[in-house]
Amino acid sequence: MPNPFSRRLSHTASASLLLLLAACADTPAQALTTTPQPAPAVTATAAAATPTPIETPALSFEEWRTLLRSDAIAAGIDPALFDRAFAGVLPNPDVLKADSSQPEFTRPVWEYLDGAVSQTRINRGRVLLVQQRGDLSRIEQRYGVASEILVAIWGLESNFGGNIGTHNVVRSLATLAYEGRRQAFWRSQLLAVLQILQHGDISPERLVGSWAGAMGQTQFMPTTYNEHAVDFDGDGKRDLWNSASDALASAAHYLQSSGWQSGQSWGYEVRLPQGFDYALADPEVRRSVAEWRALGVTPYSQDREQAADDTMATLMLPAGHRGPAFLLQSNFRSILRYNNSTSYALAIGLLSDALRGGDSVQAAWPRDDRQLGRSERIELQERLAAKGFDPGPADGIIGANTRKAIRALQLQLNWPADGYPDENLLQQLRTR
Ligand code: CA
């Protein structure tokens, strides 16, 4: 799922957008504000969820709907269509619960990848690459996005169209716009979905999606849908629910709009030399491939096609210095615009490689590493702040500021400065 906030969001799993974001240490996790994504995958598992209190709305749902109806009509929505879309619609408590839950535990990136890039998914994806070859090649010609990337997105977003969600999207969005968090955001999504209905892409009765309103085989949020969905099969409807061609082309169109560089890769796994300065593994540190090579950063697999020397890239250590390292090109950022989770983007890249018959990750993941829970991440941030570092707000999200603060502490301790929050670091802060 793409990020809703930026344009689309998708979410299949019932975990929440927030979860996903939070699941990835590298991703700034403002899910909703930037990207929401719940994704099937990335969302990881929440063992325990702490509900966030939500204010009781001042208007009854019926009063609220009356005002919304008036605004929708002023925006050009046909009154009869509005009434049809809202027939029998009442707030859905399950959606509110999903919106407010903040899971204590998120899945480690290697466990997420085990599920996202499973052999079953690879096999299915390879069959579909053959079956959809004609459409995929026309889509690649028009938008410049490789077939394997699109099939990987299709696989992660909806299991190749097999899981597009069962929620009534109008009901979900109305619930969130009426009494969820970020009501203005949800209201704009709700108005966008009414425009989609009015456009005739789908009937109100068939408008299903994730609990958060992500729709179709590529799980687009309504505003993203309006901006980027395309009718590729030429039947006059942008039908991301029932037309694989429309869905794949829409994903390609969206990536193209997000700066996709045709003919380039997303990145590749690399080896780092002894004594490497891990502080360079930061999204803000961009170097050319030639500069990385001069620093001793080389492709893990020698037969892998390498990027041109002047290609700019960043280095990522998704599990800290004990795990695999990846050199990322700008297309990785385009995937992040689709869904702002580094775990998700890495899964798309690795799945697309596997669909081409490429290698899986070569270096070992630190599977013995215990992930910090949300309350421990908050404690880590509080303790960093108490020691005079500046990790940003203690929200349990390991974003750029927290990573910098962790690095500063690691440097003080003369530890590898990878900015990765682990149990040893927390223990160290507790005892100092
Ligand atoms: Ca169509």
Side-chain angles (χ1 to χ4, degrees):
M1 20 215 86
N3 298 317
F5 297 76
S6 48
R7 322 182 174 198
R8 47 156 84 353
L9 131 54
S10 47
H11 193 335
T12 357
S14 60
S16 66
L17 307 177
L18 306 182
L19 307 189
L20 294 186
L21 302 181
C24 266
D26 280 343
T27 312
Q30 294 309 334
L32 299 195
T33 51
T34 49
T35 317
Q37 357 198 321
V42 190
T43 310
T45 32
T50 315
T52 303
I54 289 177
E55 289 178 26
T56 306
L59 299 175
S60 72
F61 183 71
E62 201 181 345
E63 290 166 336
W64 173 86
R65 190 191 55 209
T66 299
L67 292 181
L68 176 75
R69 185 177 188 276
S70 156
D71 289 352
I73 292 168
I77 299 299
D78 173 33
L81 173 75
F82 184 96
D83 295 339
R84 192 173 148 207
F86 271 82
V89 166
L90 290 171
N92 183 347
D94 292 341
V95 167
L96 272 190
K97 209 179 292 174
D99 181 46
S100 62
S101 75
Q102 299 194 322
E104 175 64 19
F105 296 107
T106 48
R107 240 195 299 183
V109 58
W110 49 90
E111 276 180 26
Y112 169 67
L113 292 173
D114 287 346
V117 195
S118 67
Q119 194 58 49
T120 307
R121 184 165 280 151
I122 294 168
N123 294 343
R124 176 86 182 123
R126 295 187 74 174
V127 169
L128 288 165
L129 267 175
V130 175
Q131 285 180 354
Q132 305 282 337
R133 189 162 43 198
D135 273 346
L136 284 166
S137 122
R138 282 187 289 277
I139 291 168
E140 184 166 350
Q141 269 173 11
R142 187 175 306 177
Y143 300 106
V145 182
S147 303
E148 292 84 359
I149 289 284
L150 298 175
V151 170
I153 286 175
W154 194 20
L156 260 66
E157 293 296 335
S158 67
N159 205 17
F160 309 110
N163 178 14
I164 58 173
T166 55
H167 284 84
N168 172 333
V169 170
V170 170
R171 186 184 184 199
S172 284
L173 295 176
T175 301
L176 294 163
Y178 171 59
E179 55 185 337
R181 298 178 293 169
R182 305 173 197 82
Q183 292 173 6
F185 168 80
W186 295 115
R187 187 184 177 89
S188 70
Q189 296 298 333
L190 181 54
L191 289 168
V193 94
L194 291 169
Q195 288 165 356
I196 292 166
L197 291 171
Q198 180 135 316
H199 186 266
D201 291 321
I202 190 94
S203 69
E205 293 73 23
R206 300 177 69 197
L207 181 65
V208 294
S210 74
W211 71 262
M215 305 178 299
Q217 301 188 26
T218 44
Q219 296 284 282
F220 275 28
M221 286 302 285
T223 50
T224 304
Y225 196 109
N226 272 332
E227 242 179 293
H228 299 289
V230 296
D231 168 27
F232 197 76
D233 62 16
D235 70 348
K237 297 178 179 183
R238 303 169 300 174
D239 185 353
L240 303 199
W241 294 266
N242 304 296
S243 166
S245 307
D246 286 5
L248 292 165
S250 297
H253 183 221
Y254 183 68
L255 286 174
Q256 183 193 47
S257 310
S258 303
W260 189 267
Q261 299 291 308
S262 183
Q264 283 198 18
S265 172
W266 59 275
Y268 47 88
E269 189 180 358
V270 290
R271 290 178 198 271
L272 306 180
Q274 289 289 327
F276 185 75
D277 176 8
Y278 293 108
L280 297 173
D282 187 289
E284 290 171 22
V285 178
R286 297 180 75 217
R287 299 274 190 277
S288 71
V289 164
E291 287 172 304
W292 284 118
R293 191 187 310 115
L295 290 165
V297 177
T298 54
Y300 208 101
S301 154
Q302 287 307 322
D303 23 325
R304 165 107 203 183
E305 194 182 332
Q306 291 189 45
D309 280 0
D310 60 350
T311 306
M312 299 304 286
T314 58
L315 184 66
M316 176 172 76
L317 306 175
H321 73 282
R322 295 175 60 224
F326 300 90
L327 208 51
L328 307 174
Q329 298 165 224
S330 71
N331 283 343
F332 192 84
R333 288 207 306 273
S334 300
I335 302 172
L336 285 175
R337 296 211 33 208
Y338 199 98
N339 185 336
N340 194 18
S341 151
T342 50
S343 297
Y344 173 89
L346 186 57
I348 294 293
L350 292 171
L351 180 54
S352 72
D353 286 353
L355 292 173
R356 268 191 197 100
D359 290 335
S360 52
V361 178
Q362 305 290 300
W365 293 102
R367 289 179 184 265
D368 57 338
D369 186 30
R370 187 182 73 77
Q371 305 287 291
L372 298 185
R374 181 171 179 273
S375 45
E376 289 172 317
R377 295 193 302 268
I378 290 172
E379 181 190 345
L380 178 75
Q381 290 168 321
E382 289 170 347
R383 289 186 182 276
L384 283 167
K387 302 280 184 205
F389 297 101
D390 181 18
D395 53 9
I397 296 166
I398 308 297
N401 290 330
T402 305
R403 270 200 313 273
K404 276 192 189 115
I406 292 172
R407 283 210 168 96
L409 171 61
Q410 288 171 326
L411 285 171
Q412 247 183 38
L413 295 167
N414 213 16
W415 290 7
D418 60 6
Y420 186 70
D422 71 1
E423 201 174 6
N424 288 338
L425 196 77
L426 181 58
Q427 286 300 348
Q428 179 71 23
L429 280 166
R430 282 171 176 163
T431 56
R432 273 176 107 211

